[in-house]
Amino acid sequence: MRAVWLKEFGGPDVLQPGEAPDPVPGPGQALIAVTFANITFVETQFRSGGMNPFQVQPPVIPGNGVGGVITSVGAGVHHDLVGQQVVASTGGTGGYAEQAVVPAASPLIVPDGLALDAAVALLADGRTAKLLMRAATVGAGERVLVLAAAGGVGSLLVQLAEHAGAKVVAAAGGPRKGAVAADLGADRVVDYSAAGWAAEVGQVDVVFDGVGGELGATAFPLLEPGGRMVVYGLASGAWTPVSDDDAAARGVAIRRGISGTPEDLRAFTESALEDGATGRLTPVIGQRFPLDRAADAHRAIETRATIGKTLLVP
Ligand SMILES: NC(=O)c1ccc[n+]([C@@H]2O[C@H](COP(=O)([O-])OP(=O)(O)OC[C@H]3O[C@@H](n4cnc5c(N)ncnc54)[C@H](OP(=O)(O)O)[C@@H]3O)[C@@H](O)[C@H]2O)c1
């Protein structure tokens, strides 16, 4: 089969398309013919030798989220799964490929009314955004600032916070991204690539921070007493430089929100897919790349050229 190999850590060009043996599902596994594979930001950081959430070393086929049809199952797995259209986390690697083996407990059947590409776009980001909303405990009427609001997770947070009755300020880089956040229902849009952007935001109750660094540091003082900074990523390359003590001194809290039990993760993923099917959540699929061009996809993501989710198409 065709697949994308990471043979060493480095820049986007270390992602090399090539051949890989057709995977065979072992006991307790299912095989998916992949129609779409998602790319998450952390995979660009893994590729470059930074974060390594699954503690794997090259050579490896990256990719933790796929959607397609189950074509076979291993011993001990119910045959009814074969032929089902599903989305699934791979368990860490193997997603950038024409076929992927996943633990049989992983696939979720795509609900009626939800297109497969939308389901793949919602798989990781939907679950993450829902976990973050739980961590933030957003109340009706609260003011919520979403950083990177046109990104994969950010674009869903804008919608979920709106549904919770919050007043959402969407902060993103440049007018094109701001327009996306406005279309998703943000009450106000701020271009944080412009000097003095924080003054335009004003005081807020919640900050969703997947960016870190200087932008996160600029957002932190905007929190009112009682406010919550929900920190979940470092797209800038550095965490927001504030400690729990800094927060306590200001009467605010820092919450790190993407953990949950396996049951939580499954339930939150199902809930995101259901919201996608009913139209409550709209994933923004900003760009699609053929599988062989995974390097270009990573380059686009890390140069901030992407909007919403980026999918690979085998
Ligand atoms: N996807 C998930 O399920 C998940 C789970 C856990 C954690 N996270 C973390 O959440 C954060 C967002 O993830 P995502 O997949 O939704 O990514 P994303 O928002 O689609 O992409 C990252 C965005 O961050 C902004 N950004 C600000 N400074 C940047 C810089 N120096 N370099 C690159 N981008 C920069 C860019 O938007 P602007 O151009 O608008 O600034 C960029 O488009 C990441 O830190 C990721 O590790 C994601």
Side-chain angles (χ1 to χ4, degrees), residues 38-45 51 121-129 132 147-155 171-174 177-178 190-193 209-212 215 231-239 258 287 300-310:
N38 69 27
I39 305 179
T40 55
F41 194 88
V42 73
E43 286 165 10
T44 67
Q45 296 172 320
M51 298 179 90
L122 281 170
L123 173 63
D125 294 0
R127 171 182 65 212
T128 299
L132 295 172
L147 303 181
V153 176
S155 58
K177 293 191 177 188
V190 172
D191 179 355
Y192 60 21
S193 58
D209 171 24
V211 173
L215 288 170
V231 172
Y232 67 98
L234 62 162
S236 67
W239 293 103
I258 47 175
Q287 43 290 308
I301 291 169
E302 61 191 20
T303 57
R304 302 167 80 160
T306 55
I307 286 181
K309 197 74 216 159
T310 303

Side-chain angles (χ1 to χ4, degrees), residues 7 22 48 113 124 165 179 181-182 192 219-221 235 277 305:
K7 294 210 166 147
D22 284 349
S48 68
Y192 60 21
F220 177 69

Side-chain angles (χ1 to χ4, degrees), residues 32-105:
I32 298 177
V34 178
T35 311
F36 302 103
N38 69 27
I39 305 179
T40 55
F41 194 88
V42 73
E43 286 165 10
T44 67
Q45 296 172 320
F46 163 67
R47 188 217 67 233
S48 68
M51 298 179 90
N52 196 338
F54 298 104
Q55 296 298 308
V56 286
Q57 296 298 319
V60 69
I61 298 169
N64 187 35
V66 297
V69 173
I70 296 188
T71 51
S72 63
V73 294
V77 181
H78 210 292
H79 256 267
D80 284 0
L81 271 181
V82 175
Q84 298 280 5
Q85 179 166 263
V86 298
V87 290
S89 298
T90 60
T93 59
Y96 296 3
E98 287 179 322
Q99 300 179 69
V101 158
V102 303

